[in-house]
């Protein structure tokens, strides 16, 4: 089929036009357009823009950045030398927002007809960028608002070599400087994996903490595919913290997410506040390693530290934490677990020193001479920095006391400057203690309250070093409710209000212990010579009322087959003094019995324990007087024939297992304590139906 003459003519004309256009692009002096371009961009952006060097346009094929047939189609490639863009007048980072020795960009022609600028390849030579964000929300990279633009700009591939960056972000306290240099002889991408093409150094400050470090990164950002990754590797010191990152940034078009391997360590976890805004206690040196993932949702980021493992002093930690930015304040959620937790590693949080050689050593304020309760202050100024809900579990708890703790579980919540541990539960002495703790930091003085339930504590495990108690059995169950005000443990206990109750419904106790408590000398010697035996324990019931830091013993009775023991007195938590009388009464005849009340009095740091002198002197004087008549008669005052009546255990236990009440501690200037806060409760033990005895097996604290 022959081509018609008009078609041949049209084709020749079209070809001629193409040749003319190409010749125009090749021969035209583009520098003639620089004044127009500089003026037009300056007017549009509201910033001074200038191309001070050569401006040129050439046709090239972009085989590296194009796919399919487009790889063989030449595209215009614009190059501009010595390009500058100014910062706004208010900027403090320098007069220029960006400059480059050379800017090159290839674009497609046809999309320009639809006001769509598709830059298939943009290359920057020696870029220098200085940008800033102010506390009032202004930033230097937002240009003059001319309304919605009719043009759309799509950058598909960005590459750069040696350059400099300064970024100041006032809202987060960041002033970062970075210098990058091209890595000579960097390999080409292989199997879609981009090699490192830039080496960089970092310095500056973050929340007044000094930054220093460096690393490597890719030199090419491919922005056409959401599955594209950009490699990065960095190490930096931020204050006393050391951080290492290695991995990839996904979807570099919007930097909407990343996944990096992160190592984090330092002298104390308290130093992380400047880095993360998360308030943590003073600790010994720590180190962690895990996966750091970031995701952007709208204008807010969330960061997840997933499957991390590490050490804090001699304790191990691991878990997953997520830190989410919000309009009000950030939220920290997650789970943390420890196989072995050393309480001293929590440092001043629990009133313990972390030991010499650590940053937190000696930071715990010691009580005044003659005082024992912790006086170190809780710092609540930063409690409003974030909200939190973190679940914590610990398998084994290492501490200096003889009674081990295990299987700790709690959920730590912080909201509106109110810290709660609900519930805080842990194993102790073969049983379990469950509590709800609340610290309200909205005022300068903390409001503290706690409800406690102890279930199934084994008597013999409560006295692990007392040999006479190792054959004893029985369980202690108790409930307590306390409220106080103050910024230290000592202040909270010194103002506390509430009740503490405890019962033992059945069990055995060492006969030697009971004889010794009653100062029945002959029986105690007999037991030690011929062997100790266990005597049946009918019940133990204790009830204490706490008012203004003074715990008054309202009821204490121990009833066994051998004796009845009662106790009265008080323990003053405000003055750290105690005055308690213990009055044993035997249930049978005792020879050489010095039966007399015992006392425990004095300060917490120097308590005095012993028998009351008056009754002993009376018995001793009577024995001496009768000895003048006959030596045998001297034994008469030392023979006890009084038999103590059995205790109504059912009534005593019923009274001691009532729900404890909690009265809030009075504020300064209050005439009297506020009314009882009856909104929380501890589950009462269930009745067994046997002599009114109670056998609590579990506790629920609300």
């Amino acid at each position: 089929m022959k081509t018609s003459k008009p078609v041949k003519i049209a084709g020749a004309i079209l070809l001629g036009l193409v040749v003319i256009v190409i010749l125009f692009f090749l021969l035209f002096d583009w520098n003639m357009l620089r004044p127009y371009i500089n003026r037009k961009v300056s007017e549009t952006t509201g910033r001074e823009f200038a191309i001070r060097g050569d401006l040129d346009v050439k046709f090239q094929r972009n085989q590296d950045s194009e796919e399919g047939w487009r790889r063989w189609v030449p595209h215009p490639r614009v190059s501009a030398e010595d390009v500058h863009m100014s910062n706004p007048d208010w900027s403090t980072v320098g007069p220029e927002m960006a400059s480059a020795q050379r800017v090159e960009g290839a674009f497609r022609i046809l999309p320009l007809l639809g006001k769509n600028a598709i830059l298939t390849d943009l290359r920057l030579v020696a870029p220098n960028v200085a940008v800033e964000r102010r506390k009032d929300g202004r930033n230097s990279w937002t240009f003059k608002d001319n309304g919605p633009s009719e043009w759309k700009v799509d950058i598909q591939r960005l590459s750069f070599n040696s350059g400099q960056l300064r970024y100041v972000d006032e809202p987060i306290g960041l002033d970062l400087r970075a210098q990058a240099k091209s890595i000579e002889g960097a390999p080409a991408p292989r199997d879609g994996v981009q090699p490192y093409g830039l080496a960089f150094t970092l310095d500056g400050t973050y929340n007044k903490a000094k930054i220093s470090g460096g690393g490597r990164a890719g030199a090419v950002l491919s922005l056409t595919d959401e599955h594209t990754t950009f490699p990065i590797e960095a190490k930096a010191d931020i204050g006393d913290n050391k951080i290492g990152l290695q991995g990839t940034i996904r979807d570099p078009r919007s930097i909407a997410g990343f996944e990096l391997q992160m190592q984090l360590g330092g002298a104390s976890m308290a130093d992380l506040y400047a880095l993360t805004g998360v308030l943590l206690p003073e600790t010994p040196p720590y180190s962690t390693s895990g996966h750091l993932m970031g995701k952007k949702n709208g204008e807010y980021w969330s960061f997840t530290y997933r499957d991390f493992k590490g050490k804090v002093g001699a304790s191990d930690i691991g878990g997953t934490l997520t830190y989410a930015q919000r309009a009000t304040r950030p939220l920290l959620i997650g789970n943390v677990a420890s196989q072995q937790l050393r309480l001293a590693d929590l440092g001043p949080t629990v009133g313990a020193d972390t030991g010499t050689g650590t940053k937190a050593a000696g930071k715990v304020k010691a009580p005044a001479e003659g005082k024992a309760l912790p006086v170190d202050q809780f710092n609540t100024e930063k409690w409003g920095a974030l909200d939190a809900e973190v679940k914590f579990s610990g398998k084994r708890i290492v501490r200096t006391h003889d009674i081990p703790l295990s299987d700790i579980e709690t959920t730590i919540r912080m909201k509106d400057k109110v810290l709660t541990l609900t519930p805080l539960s842990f194993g102790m002495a073969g049983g379990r203690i469950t509590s709800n703790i609340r610290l309200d930091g909205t005022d300068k003085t903390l409001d503290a309250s706690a409800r406690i339930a102890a279930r199934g504590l084994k008597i013999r495990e409560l006295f692990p070093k007392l040999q006479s108690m190792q054959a004893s059995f029985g369980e202690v169950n108790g409930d307590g409710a306390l409220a106080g005000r103050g910024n230290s443990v000592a202040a909270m206990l010194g103002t506390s209000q509430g009740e503490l109750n405890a019962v033992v419904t059945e069990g055995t106790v060492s006969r030697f212990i009971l004889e010794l408590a009653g100062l029945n000398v002959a029986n105690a010697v007999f037991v030690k010579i011929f062997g100790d035996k266990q005597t049946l324990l009918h019940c133990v019931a204790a009830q204490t009322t706490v008012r203004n830091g003074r715990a008054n013993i309202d009821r204490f009775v121990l009833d066994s087959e051998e004796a009845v023991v009662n106790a009265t007195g008080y323990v003053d938590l405000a003055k750290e003094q105690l005055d308690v009388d213990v009055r044993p009464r035997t249930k049978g005849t005792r020879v050489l019995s010095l039966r007399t009340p015992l006392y425990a009095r004095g300060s917490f740091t120097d308590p005095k324990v012993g028998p009351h002198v008056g009754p002993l002197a009376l018995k001793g004087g009577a024995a001496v007087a009768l000895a003048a008549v006959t030596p045998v008669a001297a034994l008469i005052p030392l023979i006890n024939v009084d038999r103590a009546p059995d205790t109504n255990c059912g009534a005593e236990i019923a009274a001691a297992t009532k729900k404890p009440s909690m009265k809030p501690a009075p504020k300064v200037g209050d005439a009297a304590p506020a009314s009882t806060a009856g909104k929380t409760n501890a589950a009462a033990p269930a009745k067994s139906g046997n002599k009114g005895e109670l056998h609590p097996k579990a506790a629920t604290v609300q």
Side-chain angles (χ1 to χ4, degrees):
M1 180 178 178
K2 293 183 179 181
T3 304
S4 63
K5 187 175 181 179
V7 173
K8 291 180 179 180
I9 295 173
I13 293 173
L14 181 59
L15 180 60
L17 290 174
V18 171
V19 171
I20 292 173
V21 170
I22 293 175
L23 290 174
F24 175 80
F25 275 97
L26 292 175
L27 300 176
F28 183 75
D29 184 4
W30 295 95
N31 287 311
M32 296 174 60
L33 294 179
R34 281 189 307 171
Y36 173 79
I37 295 174
N38 292 344
R39 185 177 66 255
K40 193 65 176 177
V41 173
S42 298
E43 291 175 354
T44 303
T45 61
R47 305 281 184 84
E48 182 180 345
F49 175 81
I51 301 174
R52 299 174 184 172
D54 288 338
L55 177 64
D56 195 13
V57 179
K58 294 181 179 179
F59 277 86
Q60 292 181 351
R61 290 184 299 176
N62 297 316
Q63 295 188 357
D64 292 336
S65 58
E66 292 285 12
E67 296 181 355
W69 59 270
R70 290 191 178 92
R71 291 167 58 91
W72 307 101
V73 176
H75 294 298
R77 188 173 188 87
V78 179
S79 64
E81 304 280 351
D82 199 11
V83 181
H84 298 262
M85 171 70 78
S86 70
N87 260 319
D89 295 337
W90 52 260
S91 177
T92 62
V93 296
E96 292 190 346
M97 184 187 77
S99 65
Q101 290 182 7
R102 183 181 179 88
V103 177
E104 295 182 4
F107 60 92
R108 296 174 186 166
I109 296 178
L110 292 180
L112 295 176
L113 299 176
K115 295 187 177 181
N116 187 11
I118 300 178
L119 296 173
T120 59
D121 189 18
L122 179 62
R123 181 171 179 265
L124 305 177
V125 177
N128 190 343
V129 179
V131 290
E132 179 180 8
R133 183 167 70 118
R134 302 293 294 271
K135 289 183 179 179
D136 58 11
R138 291 180 295 171
N139 64 71
S140 61
W141 57 87
T142 298
F143 301 131
K144 184 175 69 174
D145 187 3
N146 295 306
S149 175
E150 297 180 353
W151 283 85
K152 295 180 180 179
V153 179
D154 182 12
I155 302 174
Q156 297 184 340
R157 187 173 184 265
L158 175 64
S159 60
F160 38 85
N161 63 5
S162 304
Q164 299 182 47
L165 167 69
R166 186 182 181 193
Y167 176 56
V168 173
D169 196 322
E170 287 187 355
I172 63 173
L174 176 65
D175 186 350
L176 179 66
R177 294 177 175 87
Q179 290 188 341
K181 291 185 178 181
S182 299
I183 298 176
E184 298 295 335
R190 174 183 288 184
D191 299 329
V193 179
Q194 182 186 166
Y196 293 110
L198 290 175
F200 60 87
T201 59
L202 300 171
D203 69 89
T205 58
Y206 180 58
N207 280 338
K208 298 182 180 180
K210 185 178 179 180
I211 300 174
S212 63
R216 301 182 298 171
V220 178
L221 282 173
S222 180
L223 307 174
T224 58
D225 188 354
E226 64 180 6
H227 301 296
T228 298
T229 59
F230 180 74
I232 187 169
E233 178 183 275
K235 291 183 179 180
D237 293 343
I238 305 177
D240 292 327
N241 301 291
K242 296 182 181 296
I243 184 171
L245 299 171
Q246 184 175 13
T248 56
I249 296 176
R250 301 184 182 277
D251 191 9
R253 294 175 302 175
S254 60
I255 315 297
F258 58 83
E259 181 173 355
L260 305 169
Q261 182 70 23
M262 182 172 78
Q263 295 83 38
L264 186 63
S268 171
M269 295 186 75
D271 297 329
L272 286 172
Y273 181 79
L275 180 62
T276 64
V278 179
L279 184 62
L280 296 170
E282 292 281 3
T283 68
Y286 73 96
S287 61
T288 64
S289 177
H291 293 281
L292 178 66
M293 297 182 295
K295 185 178 181 181
K296 192 175 183 182
N297 184 11
E299 61 179 312
Y300 298 112
W301 279 84
S302 65
F303 304 93
T304 299
Y305 196 21
R306 181 171 58 85
D307 298 334
F308 69 86
K309 294 181 179 179
K311 301 279 287 185
V312 179
S315 305
D316 67 275
I317 56 172
T320 296
L321 292 171
T322 297
Y323 177 82
Q325 295 178 334
R326 300 185 303 175
T328 51
R329 53 183 167 267
L331 173 66
L332 179 69
I333 59 175
N335 297 274
V336 177
S338 174
Q339 293 299 311
Q340 175 173 290
L341 176 67
R342 191 172 68 115
L343 281 186
D345 291 332
L346 295 180
T349 302
V350 293
D353 208 331
T354 55
T356 58
T358 66
K359 185 177 180 181
K363 286 197 173 183
V364 177
K365 185 179 179 181
E369 185 176 354
K371 299 294 183 179
L373 296 177
V375 295
D376 203 59
Q377 298 282 309
F378 288 90
N379 183 5
T380 62
E381 293 180 2
K382 300 175 182 177
W383 282 22
L386 85 165
D387 293 336
E389 183 169 340
V390 178
K391 293 183 178 180
F392 175 79
S393 62
K395 186 66 177 176
R396 181 169 177 263
I397 305 170
V398 180
R399 61 181 193 148
T400 57
H401 299 79
D402 297 325
I403 304 174
L405 305 179
S406 63
D407 298 320
I408 184 172
E409 294 181 356
T410 188
T411 299
I412 305 168
R413 295 181 175 88
M414 175 76 79
K415 187 175 182 181
D416 299 330
K417 298 190 74 173
V418 177
L419 175 66
T420 61
L421 284 78
T422 52
L424 170 61
S425 176
F426 55 88
M428 173 178 159
R432 197 152 191 87
I433 292 181
T434 304
S435 61
N436 278 350
I437 298 174
R438 184 178 188 271
L439 300 176
D440 188 339
T442 52
D443 292 335
K444 291 183 178 180
T445 303
L446 275 172
D447 269 317
S449 62
R451 282 196 172 272
I452 307 169
R455 296 294 182 261
L457 306 186
K458 305 297 187 293
I459 293 178
R460 63 175 176 270
E461 295 186 30
L462 287 172
F463 305 96
K465 289 189 176 181
L466 193 57
Q467 188 64 34
S468 300
M469 297 294 291
Q470 295 313 296
S472 301
F473 72 88
E475 296 181 351
V476 179
N477 300 280
D479 294 278
L482 288 176
R485 283 179 60 82
N487 292 337
S488 68
V489 173
M492 293 174 191
L493 293 176
T495 60
S496 57
Q497 319 283 330
E499 293 181 0
L500 300 170
N501 304 328
V503 298
V504 178
T505 54
E506 61 181 13
T508 65
V509 68
S510 165
R511 184 179 179 186
F512 173 71
I513 294 293
L514 290 179
E515 298 292 356
L516 201 59
L519 298 184
N520 300 313
V521 180
N523 287 52
V525 172
F526 181 86
V527 168
K528 291 301 288 183
I529 294 175
F530 296 101
D532 195 5
K533 291 183 179 180
Q534 296 293 305
T535 184
L536 183 62
L537 194 62
H538 295 149
C539 65
V540 177
Q543 192 170 14
T544 303
T545 301
V546 184
R547 291 292 178 265
N548 299 319
R550 178 164 166 159
N552 297 303
I553 302 175
D554 301 329
R555 172 183 284 103
F556 180 89
V557 59
L558 181 154
D559 186 281
S560 72
E561 287 184 319
E562 302 289 338
V564 175
V565 180
N566 295 99
T568 58
Y570 67 87
V571 177
D572 196 321
L573 299 171
K575 298 179 180 179
E576 297 193 20
Q577 298 283 327
L578 72 157
D579 190 350
V580 178
D581 287 335
V582 180
R583 299 179 178 274
R585 298 176 63 192
T586 61
K587 290 188 176 182
T589 301
R590 296 292 186 270
V591 180
L592 293 180
S593 173
L594 301 177
R595 180 174 55 85
T596 184
L598 308 176
Y599 69 83
R601 61 170 60 111
S603 66
F604 289 3
T605 57
D606 187 24
K608 307 297 183 183
V609 181
H612 281 280
V613 177
L616 280 179
L618 185 62
K619 283 196 173 189
V624 170
L626 291 174
V629 180
T630 173
V632 176
L635 297 176
I636 295 176
L638 305 181
I639 298 175
N640 177 41
V641 295
D642 182 28
R643 175 181 174 84
D646 290 334
T647 301
N648 184 350
C649 282
E652 295 289 345
I653 291 175
T657 52
K658 291 180 179 179
K659 187 188 86 170
S661 65
M662 185 196 322
K663 293 185 177 181
K667 297 184 179 181
V668 177
D670 287 350
S675 61
T676 300
K679 296 184 179 179
T680 59
N681 62 80
K687 286 189 177 182
S688 68
N690 183 15
K691 295 183 180 180
E693 296 173 356
L694 303 178
H695 298 273
K697 297 298 182 184
T700 301
V701 182
Q702 298 179 345

